């Protein structure tokens, strides 16, 4: 009888212990599920706040997920990286995004934002490699293909740029930004008619599209050598890229509007990458305007220039292209400053 009682009590203790372990396991699982639901909700709020520049709201939402239970999720590191990105704290943002990708390699938003940081740092090769991975994770997003195409364009990998930009247009047919970079790419390859077709498509949808209009003026001059017609496409001289400045300066010159030509060509003529044609053209403009002293000063400036400035010129061109590229990127978040 005593043996039976002992066995009975042992079974009760075993059952209670098992029930306790099961309950603890259920509690842990329940806590994790609830934490996942909460971080997903907070994530949506933070992302939307950052998209619309509501930085105070983003910071307030972030404070809701500062307990240890949330820090195990890749989403936690991604959100931290996003907030740091909005403050332009690039290095710390990269560390958090890489941590998120280590936890969850297919986290497409973290991969995309990591590429954005490389682009902001003028590291376009790293941006390209990162966005290649992003596109493998999510191959049907037109914005990912667009940014990759832009990186290819800046790196002068023009055939790859065409492929990526066409892929972007495959998933978003009327994506004018992709058409614009595609037109720029065709111009670099001297495929002027193809560039004109892309620009015509943009201007049919949006006749006030300033960048497309400026490029179209360049195309018209290349195809028709009609400076008067080209100048009808000029909307804002201050917004011209350096290639367009050279073309419109030539248009003004041929229209005998030498002062306007000189204003446009001056920053090109004094830049490290001005060629002999640019310099001679600028000297001619100064002389036509009667600026003999300035022409003499410019001639001496040319003579003093180092003959070994090719690396400086290339670096300068790359920085100008990078600045233009950062303005044309698809930005998911706003920056605070």
């Amino acid at each position: 009888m005593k043996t039976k009682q002992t066995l009975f009590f042992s079974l009760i203790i075993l059952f209670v212990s098992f029930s306790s372990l099961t309950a603890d396991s259920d509690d842990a699982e329940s806590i994790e599920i609830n934490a996942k639901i909460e971080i997903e909700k907070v994530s949506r709020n933070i992302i939307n706040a950052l998209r619309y520049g509501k930085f105070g709201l983003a910071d307030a939402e972030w404070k809701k997920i500062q307990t240890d239970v949330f820090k195990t999720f890749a989403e936690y590191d991604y959100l931290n990286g996003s907030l740091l990105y909005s403050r332009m704290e690039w290095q710390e943002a990269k560390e958090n995004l890489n941590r998120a990708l280590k936890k969850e390699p297919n986290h497409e938003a973290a991969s995309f934002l990591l590429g954005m940081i490389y682009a902001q740092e003028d590291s376009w090769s790293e941006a390209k490699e990162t966005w290649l991975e992003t596109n493998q994770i999510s191959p049907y997003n037109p914005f990912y293909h667009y940014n990759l195409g832009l990186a290819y364009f800046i790196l002068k990998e023009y055939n790859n740029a065409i492929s990526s930009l066409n892929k972007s247009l495959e998933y978003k047919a009327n994506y004018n930004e992709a058409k614009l970079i595609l037109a720029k790419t065709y111009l670099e390859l001297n495929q002027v008619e193809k560039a004109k077709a892309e620009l015509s498509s943009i201007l049919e949808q949006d006749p006030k599209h300033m960048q497309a209009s400026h490029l179209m003026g360049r195309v018209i001059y290349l195809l028709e050598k009609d400076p008067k017609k080209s100048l009808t496409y000029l909307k804002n001289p201050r917004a011209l890229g350096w290639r367009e400045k050279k073309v419109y300066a030539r248009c003004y010159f041929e229209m005998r509007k030498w002062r306007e030509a000189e204003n446009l060509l001056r920053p090109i003529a004094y830049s490290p990458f001005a060629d002999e044609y640019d310099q001679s053209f600028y000297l001619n403009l100064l002389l036509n305007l009667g600026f003999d002293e300035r022409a003499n000063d410019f001639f001496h400036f040319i003579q003093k220039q180092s003959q070994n400035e090719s690396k400086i010129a290339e670096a300068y061109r790359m920085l100008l292209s990078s600045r233009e590229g950062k303005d044309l990127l698809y930005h998911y978040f706003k920056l605070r400053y």
Side-chain angles (χ1 to χ4, degrees):
M1 183 70 178
K2 188 173 183 180
T3 303
K4 289 183 178 180
Q5 287 178 334
T6 302
L7 181 60
F8 177 72
F9 285 121
S10 297
L11 288 171
I12 290 174
I13 291 168
L14 183 63
F15 176 77
V16 170
S17 299
F18 179 76
S19 299
S20 177
L21 287 171
T22 303
D24 288 344
S25 176
D26 289 344
D27 286 346
E29 186 177 350
S30 176
I31 289 170
E32 185 176 358
I33 290 171
N34 289 334
K36 188 174 183 180
I37 293 170
E38 179 66 14
I39 200 170
E40 287 176 355
K41 183 180 74 174
V42 169
S43 177
R44 286 193 296 272
N45 293 339
I46 290 175
I47 298 310
N48 286 331
L50 291 177
R51 288 188 70 185
Y52 295 103
K54 298 178 179 179
F55 302 116
L57 175 59
D59 293 336
E61 289 292 313
W62 173 243
K63 291 176 183 177
K64 295 179 181 179
I65 52 171
Q66 293 311 299
T67 56
D68 289 341
V69 68
F70 296 109
K71 296 179 182 180
T72 60
F73 294 103
E75 192 69 12
Y76 177 88
D77 297 302
Y78 165 65
L79 292 173
N80 197 10
S82 300
L83 289 161
L84 289 164
Y85 173 86
S86 75
R87 298 188 188 100
M88 297 188 288
E89 297 177 26
W90 309 133
Q91 186 56 41
E92 294 86 348
K94 280 194 291 188
E95 290 170 5
N96 278 273
L97 294 170
N98 278 316
R99 196 153 48 238
L101 288 165
K102 189 173 181 180
K103 292 177 182 176
E104 190 179 321
N106 288 332
H107 198 302
E108 63 178 87
S111 178
F112 175 74
L113 193 58
L114 184 60
M116 288 294 294
I117 294 173
Y118 284 126
Q120 297 286 4
E121 293 178 327
D122 300 313
S123 300
W124 287 92
S125 291
E126 288 83 355
K128 178 193 77 174
E129 295 301 326
T130 304
W131 285 328
L132 278 168
E133 294 177 7
T134 309
N135 278 284
Q136 288 179 347
I137 298 168
S138 179
Y140 306 112
N141 189 310
F143 306 110
Y144 296 170
H145 287 291
Y146 167 76
N147 274 12
L148 178 60
L150 180 56
Y152 279 132
F153 171 76
I154 289 169
L155 294 168
K156 300 183 180 180
E157 298 180 32
Y158 297 129
N159 289 329
N160 287 332
I162 291 169
S163 177
S164 287
L165 293 165
N166 278 325
K167 186 67 71 174
S168 176
L169 288 165
E170 183 180 331
Y171 301 125
K172 185 175 169 59
N174 293 320
Y175 194 3
N176 283 341
E177 286 77 6
K179 292 178 183 179
L180 182 72
I181 306 303
L182 196 54
K184 285 175 173 282
T185 306
Y186 285 136
L187 280 172
E188 291 302 312
L189 294 171
N190 203 30
Q191 298 177 13
V192 185
E193 290 288 356
K194 288 185 177 180
K196 184 179 181 181
E198 298 297 335
L199 295 170
S200 296
S201 176
I202 296 171
L203 293 170
E204 283 175 11
Q205 295 178 49
D206 182 6
K208 295 182 179 180
H209 196 294
M210 185 169 63
Q211 290 172 314
S213 184
H214 287 165
L215 276 180
M216 183 61 92
R218 178 179 162 193
V219 164
I220 294 299
Y221 185 78
L222 290 172
L223 289 174
E224 303 177 25
K225 294 294 186 291
D226 186 339
K228 186 175 182 181
K229 184 177 179 181
S230 293
L231 284 168
T232 63
Y233 289 92
L234 178 58
K235 306 296 182 185
N236 181 359
R238 293 184 178 182
L240 290 173
W242 65 272
R243 295 171 182 84
E244 284 70 55
K245 282 181 180 177
K246 293 171 79 165
V247 172
Y248 283 107
R250 169 56 63 180
C251 291
Y252 277 128
F253 178 79
E254 292 181 13
M255 297 287 292
R256 301 180 67 81
K257 295 183 177 182
W258 294 323
R259 190 174 295 278
E260 289 89 340
E262 190 272 333
N263 285 335
L264 280 182
L265 197 62
R266 188 187 312 129
I268 306 299
Y270 279 96
S271 72
F273 56 86
D275 56 30
E276 290 184 4
Y277 173 82
D278 298 327
Q279 293 167 343
S280 299
F281 182 22
Y282 189 63
L283 269 175
N284 192 12
L285 280 170
L286 292 175
L287 293 171
N288 282 337
L289 285 164
F291 297 159
D292 292 359
E293 289 188 17
R294 284 176 58 183
N296 189 49
D297 290 341
F298 181 68
F299 177 74
H300 288 297
F301 166 78
I302 296 170
Q303 283 191 319
K304 289 178 183 178
Q305 279 186 307
S306 168
Q307 297 300 308
N308 189 27
E309 287 188 325
S310 58
K311 289 185 179 179
I312 297 173
E314 184 56 35
Y316 189 15
R317 270 195 293 266
M318 182 62 190
L319 286 171
L320 286 176
S321 295
S322 183
R323 185 180 67 182
E324 179 186 20
K326 283 184 275 191
D327 290 338
L328 293 169
L329 279 169
Y330 170 74
H331 289 264
Y332 196 66
F333 296 142
K334 292 183 181 293
L335 299 176
R336 295 173 190 244
Y337 311 111

